[in-house]
Every structure is written in C-alpha cells, then in structure tokens.
Amino acid sequence: MKYPYSQFAFVLLIAFFVVSCGKNDDPVEESLFTYLESEKQVSTIPQGTAQFLFSALAAQYDDDGTMDNEVTSGALVYKVTYKTTFEGEPLTVSGLVSVPDEPGDYPVISFQNGTNVEYSEAPTANPGNNLFVVLESFASLGFIVVIPDYPGFGESKQVFHPYLEKDNMVPSLVDLLKATREFVSQDHIVASLNEDLYLMGYSLGGWATLQLQREIESNGLEDYQLKASSCGAGPYNLNLLNELIVSQGSYPMPYFLAFLMQAYHVHGKFSNPLNTIFDDEYAAKIPDLFNGINTGGDINAQLTTSVTDLLHPDFRVGYESNAAYQPVQDALNNNGVEAWNTNTPTRLFHGENDTFVSMELSTKMKQDFSELGVSNELVKMVVLPGEDHQSAILPFGIATINWFIGLNSN
C-alpha cells in the first residue's frame, strides 16, 4: 500500500527551490497547551515554486484545470511533536503541519499516509519526499495541511507500528488535529484555522481516513466541522481482504499481509502463533523483517508471492471454518470499517486494475453504505479506469484537491 514515488520524478525539479531549515526543535511552553509539545520549521515552499508545481501537475493530469489557478501564497512546513495515547498509555508522536505564509482563516486537510516500513521514509523524516512536497504545497492553495507520521515512526520509533489497528491509530490522528489548533494559535504563525475540516488518504490512508471520519462523526471534534472525506483504495473490510488473498494463487505484495499479522501478533490482537498462519520458513523470518530499515521490496524478496507456499495449509483451507482461527477473524472484523449513516460527503476512489488492494473492497464498502440507505450523492464510488494501485495515486489526489477547492469556495 505504498505510493509509486517514481511517478513524481518531474517534481524533483522543484527541489532546488525548496528552502530547508536547520532550526532545532523548539519546545513550547507546557502550561499553554494540552497536546502540542514542540515544533521545528523544516522547509519553506515559495509561492513561485508552488505555482510551477501545480502548473506542471495540471498540464499532465488535471482536465479541470482548477488547482493551478488557486495558488495564493507560499507555504511554511513544520515538524510538530504532540501527545497521544497508545495501548492506553501516553505517547509522544509526530507529524508535519504545512501552513500558508499569508494571514487568513484557512480550512484543514488531514492527509493519512499509505503503508510505510522505513523509519527514513516517515513524513517528518523525509519532508522533501516528492509526494510530501506536493501535499505540503496544498497550503499554497488556501489550506492548512497536516500529515501524521503514525505511531511507530518519527518520534515514536520505540513502538511497533499498529498497522491497520483502529484503537492504536485513530487517537493519534485526532490528537494531531487538536495539536494543530494549538500550534496555529501561536503569535508567530500568521495563518489561522476556521472550523472546516477535509480528510483524505490513500491505501492504508484510505482505511485510516474512513476510520477517522467515523470517529469524528460518532464522538465529535471540538472546533472542527467535517466538510468532506476522500478515501482511495482502502482495505476497509479486512476479513474480505484476507479472503481475497487466500483465494488467489499468487499475491504480488506479500509484505502487506505479513505486516498486518505481525502487528496484530505484537499488540495482542490475537494469540495465534505466526507459524499457524504462515509456512514455518516465513513465520520464522517475519519478526526480524520489519526492523524500520528494510524496504517493502526487501521484505517481499524474503517472502514469496505464491500464496500456497507463503501460508500454512490449515490457514488457507480452514480460515473461515476452523475454530482455531476465530481470534484472527475477530481481530480483522474488529479493525475493519463498518458502514454507518454518515452525513459527510464521501468519495471512494479505486483503480479498476488494482491487484494490491482489490477494487472489490471499495465496491463492498459502497454497497454497505447503500444498504443502510445512504444516498449515492452522499457516498460516491469513483472508478479510475485503467489505473492500478500505484498509478491511481495521482488521479486520486488531483481529483480530491479539485473537489475540496470547489467545496471550499461555495
């Protein structure tokens, strides 16, 4: 569920214009804030650079031609650390906040990142990554942009990343939004927040976005009004995802499944030993593969794309019927996204040729909303013709930001 950063090669041209900052982390006065702990400016994106970037993107991908006409400022990008909870205990985590460099009251976009296994590729560790520069530059379009590292990366490398774990992921997303409001309240930040909030994310981030949307609708979020949510290629129904993988002869991204099962095993979501799910050879390898250094490609190379070889035969044939695997089913059910009577405009994007996260996951999510009586106008599924999991990210992102710009101007 990682993004095809090679698609952003042309964006490297703008690297010469992005100013990196070498300031130390600046602690904030503890008595002032509940969530925010420190800040550090990591880069500046001049308005001209943002204009160049969005003109290039629009020329290649934007039929509507909206976003390159909307650049109104440059952007200042900060790393922030903030307080959250993880497994019921306090934890300091981190994320990026990109703000316009012109005064004004701006809405927030919370972007939930895709699958990552490398410490060096977390948003705050590599804010100059092509994808993150594009997202940071959304601030020049009149938004404040927040990008969480997620627990397990950035300032919280001491914990194992809670991959596709609702209870250990969602609090850090909510708390970054609270910390962001505290951050922009400081005198040296010229941008201010209005109450409008937009959510977007792709792959793992699509799942996280829909989880965050449901959390906000269910429990509220003070000083924020949820306006829209855009989810791309998310593995919303985790049991269905597992069933689809198990039913195939081969699966091109075995590390996704290994990451999921390792996280659930580490965090006690089920008690089944890994060697009852995976073949002994691979079960023995998996715990050491996710060390924060190996890439997804490195991990895949240590596994196999053959589902028959990768998985324990009892798991392949008895996952749904063998009582021994009920804890695994329960864990996946508990961490999937169930449809609800949402009142937020929502779009579910998916590339029709996605073999990493089948389009069937989005189709089922849309069907579940429809069966609850949620209208097709409120929750729309958008199929991206001819796109696979990797190639769909740019069309998803551009369609999403154009949608948000249109909603924000109404």
Side-chain angles (χ1 to χ4, degrees):
M1 300 169 207
K2 194 168 183 178
Y3 303 135
Y5 298 129
S6 60
Q7 287 193 18
F8 296 93
F10 75 93
V11 182
L12 289 173
L13 292 171
I14 72 171
F16 295 104
F17 304 101
V18 177
V19 180
S20 296
C21 302
K23 294 166 64 180
N24 294 325
D25 286 278
D26 296 325
V28 298
E29 191 174 333
E30 274 191 44
S31 61
L32 293 178
F33 300 123
T34 303
Y35 297 93
L36 183 66
E37 291 192 338
S38 72
E39 64 173 73
K40 173 186 178 181
Q41 188 179 346
V42 294
S43 66
T44 300
I45 302 173
Q47 182 172 346
T49 301
Q51 185 67 63
F52 169 82
L53 169 62
F54 289 119
S55 294
L57 282 169
Q60 288 189 286
Y61 299 101
D62 185 8
D63 293 336
D64 295 332
T66 300
M67 59 187 179
D68 60 327
N69 298 320
E70 299 292 331
V71 175
T72 58
S73 72
L76 306 175
V77 185
Y78 294 82
K79 171 188 173 181
V80 298
T81 65
Y82 63 100
K83 300 172 185 175
T84 192
T85 56
F86 180 83
E87 298 197 303
E89 298 294 330
L91 182 69
T92 295
V93 289
S94 47
L96 293 175
V97 181
S98 182
V99 297
D101 61 9
E102 293 290 334
D105 293 330
Y106 299 99
V108 170
I109 293 175
S110 180
F111 177 83
Q112 284 61 244
N113 194 24
T115 301
N116 174 45
V117 293
E118 300 170 73
Y119 295 147
S120 62
E121 291 300 321
T124 64
N126 191 12
N129 172 289
N130 294 336
L131 172 64
F132 298 144
V133 169
V134 172
L135 294 164
E136 293 154 11
S137 298
F138 283 175
S140 71
L141 303 173
F143 296 90
I144 291 171
V145 182
V146 303
I147 310 172
D149 278 333
Y150 301 143
F153 296 99
E155 293 299 307
S156 58
K157 290 184 288 190
Q158 71 272 27
V159 303
F160 192 84
H161 173 56
Y163 189 55
L164 293 166
E165 293 178 31
K166 176 177 63 177
D167 292 342
N168 282 332
M169 283 273 279
V170 173
S172 68
L173 310 180
V174 171
D175 291 340
L176 178 54
L177 291 168
K178 295 176 180 178
T180 298
R181 186 162 287 281
E182 295 176 344
F183 169 71
V184 301
S185 72
Q186 300 177 103
D187 291 341
H188 65 281
I189 305 298
V190 299
S192 300
L193 295 187
N194 61 31
E195 293 188 348
D196 292 347
L197 173 63
Y198 298 87
L199 308 178
M200 65 181 294
Y202 191 83
S203 195
L204 164 66
W207 169 91
T209 295
L210 204 57
Q211 293 281 19
L212 177 58
Q213 176 184 340
R214 179 162 188 172
E215 170 66 20
I216 292 172
E217 288 193 46
S218 298
N219 297 312
L221 183 57
E222 186 177 2
D223 297 325
Y224 283 101
Q225 179 65 45
L226 189 54
K227 302 295 288 185
S229 178
S230 181
C231 310
Y236 312 111
N237 186 321
L238 297 177
N239 257 314
L240 177 58
L241 174 70
N242 185 68
E243 291 166 11
L244 292 171
I245 293 173
V246 169
S247 68
Q248 300 178 71
S250 64
Y251 180 59
M253 297 297 280
Y255 93 86
F256 289 173
L257 185 61
F259 201 8
L260 172 63
M261 296 301 180
Q262 172 67 359
Y264 282 24
H265 179 70
V266 168
H267 297 136
K269 300 301 180 185
F270 56 68
S271 58
N272 302 66
L274 288 180
N275 65 2
T276 65
I277 298 172
F278 297 96
D279 178 83
D280 284 346
E281 175 188 353
Y282 302 110
K285 291 181 177 180
I286 285 170
D288 294 329
L289 293 178
F290 296 93
N291 58 10
I293 299 170
N294 288 331
T295 67
D298 293 336
I299 298 170
N300 276 339
Q302 293 294 315
L303 301 173
T304 175
T305 59
S306 169
V307 173
T308 301
D309 293 338
L310 178 67
L311 298 178
H312 192 287
D314 290 347
F315 187 75
R316 283 190 293 106
V317 301
Y319 165 71
E320 295 182 73
S321 58
N322 190 332
Y325 294 114
Q326 189 64 49
V328 180
Q329 287 194 52
D330 291 344
L332 296 178
N333 277 328
N334 291 339
N335 288 279
V337 189
E338 292 186 3
W340 72 101
N341 283 301
T342 182
N343 54 18
T344 301
T346 303
R347 292 187 179 176
L348 305 173
F349 287 85
H350 218 115
E352 68 172 348
N353 295 332
D354 194 332
T355 58
F356 298 176
V357 180
S358 170
M359 192 172 71
E360 190 171 337
L361 277 298
S362 289
T363 301
K364 179 65 165 63
M365 194 76 250
K366 175 64 178 75
Q367 179 184 339
D368 291 348
F369 277 115
S370 296
E371 288 177 355
L372 290 176
V374 178
S375 74
N376 292 332
E377 287 302 308
L378 196 59
V379 175
K380 292 183 178 181
M381 181 167 172
V382 182
V383 177
L384 301 171
E387 306 292 354
D388 59 24
H389 194 76
Q390 295 177 306
S391 66
I393 178 60
L394 269 177
F396 157 77
I398 292 166
T400 295
I401 192 61
N402 279 333
W403 181 39
F404 289 174
I405 289 170
L407 292 172
N408 191 48
S409 63
N410 291 337

